[in-house]
């Protein structure tokens, strides 16, 4: 099945104000750079974004925050972004902070048809407020619900025309689960190849989860904390 | 009194052969530099790598290869990459034997607070809540007092909690302590040149001192 769309404009054409979007990535690693740039260009607003982080001030989701396009963020860690902190503390931005493992599992559950699950993470903290608590094996757990989104936008290293995806190194992070949890999943890849060229043994995300795929025009791949040792 | 590097050095003595270990951001990251000779451990970073190696040489950084602190890293032979759900399955499923993380406050019942200062700092909990809720073996690496000189070892935490009753051991610039549920912080070792009285003065929670307290060896 051919999932290829011409370009990023085509891939994002029906993303409108007010929708919920999942965006893959951890920090600036493995983020869908081209699609984020397109969302900025489209100037749509009132977005609910589900993403582990919120980018930095001038890259990643920080670009959408600067233009006040995001109404609500669902994330686990949002440090390193002054504009985010300012909008959150002033109440302009609605923020739902959830433990990273719960965020990953909630996306996975959303894509896997599991409505909710119990986890020990967050028990006894403000994360547990209003949630059902149940004891298993003598230990308290809280009920967390699945997450889905109108659109999931993921970034992969290689993809084929059937939508099969392979990620590189730690750029995998949230991308595979989010790919499963989008009503429409858009994959942008560094290299797009004809179906049959990827080794089926090495595919991470099966094409069934992907509705649209395109090759990104350029990748800046900015490094957030460049850390090196001396020879 | 220990430096931050020496705190990491002391925690490294806790490592055991064959362990998978998750190191948090800050002082915990430094633990990887002091693996005792003759043992093999593997480091997990919750953004999706097992078999994490040292920082890359200048010019060899890969934007697709980072740790949970978003620093560029390398992968050792035998390393593996995985998605975030698999990563936290390792953590929640207790396949990781030791977690080392920093804290703003620890209570004498083992509660930990390290993710939020209401109205002032909101960075989020990241993977810390999952880690502390599941790990069987949690060591906290931190300074004994905060910048204002106030104790970080309290009767009960004043900041929003990250986890409840989970901290087992604490290594600070002054001491090594163990949390004894229902009793308090048991003093195990003193930092070189630091007296029991000084540790007592810097500890707001209940400090249990039994017998002669040895000086830690680095």
């Amino acid at each position: 099945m051919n999932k290829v769309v011409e370009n990023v404009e085509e891939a994002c054409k029906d993303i409108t104000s007010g929708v919920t979007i999942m965006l893959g990535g951890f920090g600036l690693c493995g983020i869908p750079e081209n699609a984020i740039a397109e969302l900025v260009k489209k100037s749509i607003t009132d977005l609910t974004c589900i993403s582990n982080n919120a980018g930095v001030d001038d890259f990643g989701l920080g670009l959408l925050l600067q233009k006040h396009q995001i109404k609500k963020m669902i994330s686990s860690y949002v440090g390193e972004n002054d504009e985010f902190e300012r909008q959150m503390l002033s109440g302009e931005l609605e923020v739902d902070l959830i433990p990273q493992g719960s965020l990953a599992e909630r996306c996975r559950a959303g894509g896997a048809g599991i409505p909710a699950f119990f986890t020990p993470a967050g028990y006894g903290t403000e994360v547990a407020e209003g949630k059902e608590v149940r004891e298993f094996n003598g230990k308290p757990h809280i009920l967390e619900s699945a997450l889905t989104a109108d659109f999931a936008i993921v970034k992969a290293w290689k993809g084929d025309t059937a939508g099969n995806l392979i990620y590189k190194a730690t750029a995998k992070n949230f991308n595979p689960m989010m790919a499963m949890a989008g009503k429409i999943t858009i994959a942008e890849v560094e290299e797009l190849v004809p179906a049959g060229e990827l080794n089926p043994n090495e595919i991470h995300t099966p094409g069934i989860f992907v509705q649209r795929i395109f090759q990104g025009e350029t990748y800046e791949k900015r490094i957030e904390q460049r850390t090196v040792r001396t020879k | 009194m220990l430096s931050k590097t020496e705190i990491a050095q002391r925690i490294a003595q806790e490592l055991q052969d064959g362990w998978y270990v998750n190191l948090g951001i800050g002082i915990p990251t430094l633990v990887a530099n002091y693996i005792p000779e003759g043992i093999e451990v593997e480091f997990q970073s919750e953004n999706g790598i097992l078999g994490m190696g040292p920082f890359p040489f200048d010019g060899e950084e890969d934007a697709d290869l980072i740790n949970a602190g978003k620093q560029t890293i390398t992968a050792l032979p035998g390393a593996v990459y995985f998605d975030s759900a698999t990563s936290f399955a390792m953590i929640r499923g207790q396949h990781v034997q030791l977690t080392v993380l920093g804290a703003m406050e620890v209570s004498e019942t083992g509660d930990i607070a390290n993710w939020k200062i209401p109205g002032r700092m909101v960075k989020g909990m990241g993977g810390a809540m999952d880690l502390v809720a599941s790990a069987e073996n949690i060591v906290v690496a931190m300074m004994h007092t905060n910048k204002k000189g106030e104790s970080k070892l309290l009767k009960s935490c004043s900041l929003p909690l990250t986890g409840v009753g989970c901290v087992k051991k604490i290594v600070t610039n002054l001491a090594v302590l163990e949390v004894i549920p229902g009793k308090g912080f048991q003093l195990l070792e003193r930092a070189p040149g630091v007296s029991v009285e000084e540790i007592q003065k810097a500890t707001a929670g209940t400090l249990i001192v039994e017998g002669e307290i040895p000086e830690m060896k680095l």
Side-chain angles (χ1 to χ4, degrees):
Chain A
M1 246 178 280
N2 189 8
K3 309 284 177 71
V4 178
V5 292
E6 195 58 35
N7 49 36
V8 67
E9 289 88 4
E10 183 70 14
C12 300
K13 64 173 194 285
D14 50 358
I15 303 183
T16 56
S17 292
V19 298
T20 297
I21 313 176
M22 280 181 183
L23 297 110
F26 180 93
L28 302 179
C29 181
I31 58 170
E33 294 182 24
N34 289 272
I36 291 171
E38 175 64 16
L39 296 179
V40 173
K41 208 172 95 191
K42 282 168 76 86
S43 294
I44 49 171
T45 58
D46 294 308
L47 300 173
T48 295
C49 292
I50 304 171
S51 179
N52 189 58
N53 313 87
V56 293
D57 279 315
D58 62 344
F59 201 60
L61 287 182
L63 297 170
L64 288 168
L65 281 166
Q66 279 200 357
K67 288 183 66 194
H68 299 268
Q69 291 175 265
I70 302 177
K71 179 185 71 177
K72 181 179 180 179
M73 276 296 311
I74 300 175
S75 302
S76 89
Y77 186 83
V78 293
E80 278 77 67
N81 189 321
D82 295 339
E83 178 60 14
F84 184 101
E85 204 153 352
R86 192 197 64 72
Q87 287 187 23
M88 176 170 173
L89 291 171
S90 71
E92 288 164 61
L93 181 69
E94 214 182 309
V95 180
D96 192 1
L97 288 171
I98 52 187
Q100 193 178 333
S102 298
L103 177 61
E105 196 63 17
R106 287 175 73 178
C107 295
R108 201 195 71 81
I114 294 171
F117 58 90
F118 282 97
T119 175
Y123 170 75
T125 75
E126 55 187 67
V127 164
E129 281 168 23
K131 289 174 186 161
E132 186 185 333
V133 176
R134 207 185 286 184
E135 223 172 81
F136 295 94
N137 306 319
K139 195 174 162 176
H141 292 71
I142 61 172
L143 186 67
E144 290 281 10
S145 58
L147 285 170
T148 55
D150 299 310
F151 296 90
I153 309 179
V154 301
K155 150 81 189 1
W157 179 31
K158 291 177 185 173
D160 69 16
T161 51
N164 296 307
L165 304 176
I166 295 176
Y167 308 94
K168 194 182 146 207
T170 56
K172 185 184 276 176
N173 54 63
F174 281 81
N175 286 298
M177 285 81 60
M178 290 184 170
M180 294 164 67
K183 287 187 193 100
I184 294 174
T185 291
I186 299 164
E188 61 167 85
V189 299
E190 288 177 53
E191 192 186 342
L192 182 61
V193 299
E197 277 197 20
L198 298 179
N199 182 341
N201 286 306
E202 292 170 359
I203 289 165
H204 297 128
T205 291
I208 190 169
F209 295 118
V210 175
Q211 279 67 49
R212 299 170 194 168
I213 189 166
F214 70 95
Q215 186 172 309
E217 211 156 89
T218 55
Y219 283 97
E220 177 182 337
K221 288 202 185 180
R222 195 184 292 187
I223 292 173
E224 205 167 327
Q225 303 281 345
R226 189 177 167 278
T227 315
V228 296
R229 65 187 146 139
T230 41
K231 280 191 199 194
Chain B
M1 212 186 289
L2 300 187
S3 66
K4 287 183 178 177
T5 316
E6 288 166 329
I7 293 175
Q9 227 172 313
R10 174 58 191 83
I11 290 173
Q13 295 173 9
E14 304 286 315
L15 299 174
Q16 289 183 24
D17 191 38
W19 273 7
Y20 291 103
V21 179
N22 181 291
L23 300 176
I25 295 160
I27 302 174
T29 307
L30 304 172
V31 173
N33 300 332
Y34 302 100
I35 306 168
E37 250 176 76
I39 74 161
E40 203 182 337
V41 293
E42 215 165 285
F43 293 107
Q44 196 246 22
S45 200
E46 66 269 22
N47 60 311
I49 179 175
L50 203 54
M52 177 170 52
F55 298 131
F57 288 118
D58 197 357
E60 292 174 9
E61 320 86 86
D62 179 352
D64 291 324
L65 184 49
I66 62 168
N67 64 16
K70 287 132 188 166
Q71 295 169 309
T72 43
I73 51 159
T74 55
L76 296 172
V80 57
Y81 308 120
F82 36 84
D83 65 60
S84 304
T86 307
S87 180
F88 283 91
M90 292 173 190
I91 290 162
R92 236 186 275 105
Q94 301 189 328
H95 305 281
V96 174
Q97 278 79 25
L98 173 68
T99 290
V100 183
L101 76 176
M104 298 194 281
E105 294 177 351
V106 176
S107 82
E108 62 183 47
T109 53
D111 296 352
I112 176 171
N114 71 354
W115 73 283
K116 184 180 181 182
I117 303 172
R120 215 147 58 80
M121 187 212 80
V122 251
K123 291 190 185 304
M125 66 291 282
M129 283 193 184
D130 309 89
L131 281 158
V132 300
S134 300
E136 288 194 76
N137 198 359
I138 298 172
V139 175
V140 165
M142 65 176 193
M143 304 308 274
H144 212 96
T145 53
N146 64 20
K147 283 185 186 129
K148 286 190 229 151
E150 300 159 337
S151 180
K152 294 169 76 172
L153 290 96
L154 310 170
K155 267 206 164 336
S156 63
C157 295
S158 64
L159 294 169
L161 296 182
T162 308
V164 180
C166 49
V167 176
K168 303 281 184 289
K169 205 173 237 186
I170 306 150
V171 179
T172 74
N173 52 330
L174 303 183
V176 180
L177 311 105
E178 193 181 334
V179 174
I180 310 290
K183 292 195 174 149
F185 301 108
Q186 171 129 33
L187 184 57
L188 299 181
E189 297 171 25
R190 296 173 293 116
V194 175
S195 69
V196 171
E197 290 67 36
E198 285 172 88
I199 297 165
Q200 180 69 71
K201 231 178 109 200
T203 308
T206 310
L207 187 72
I208 307 162
V209 184
E210 284 174 356
E212 202 61 29
I213 306 298
E215 209 169 79
M216 61 179 92
K217 292 184 183 68
L218 294 172

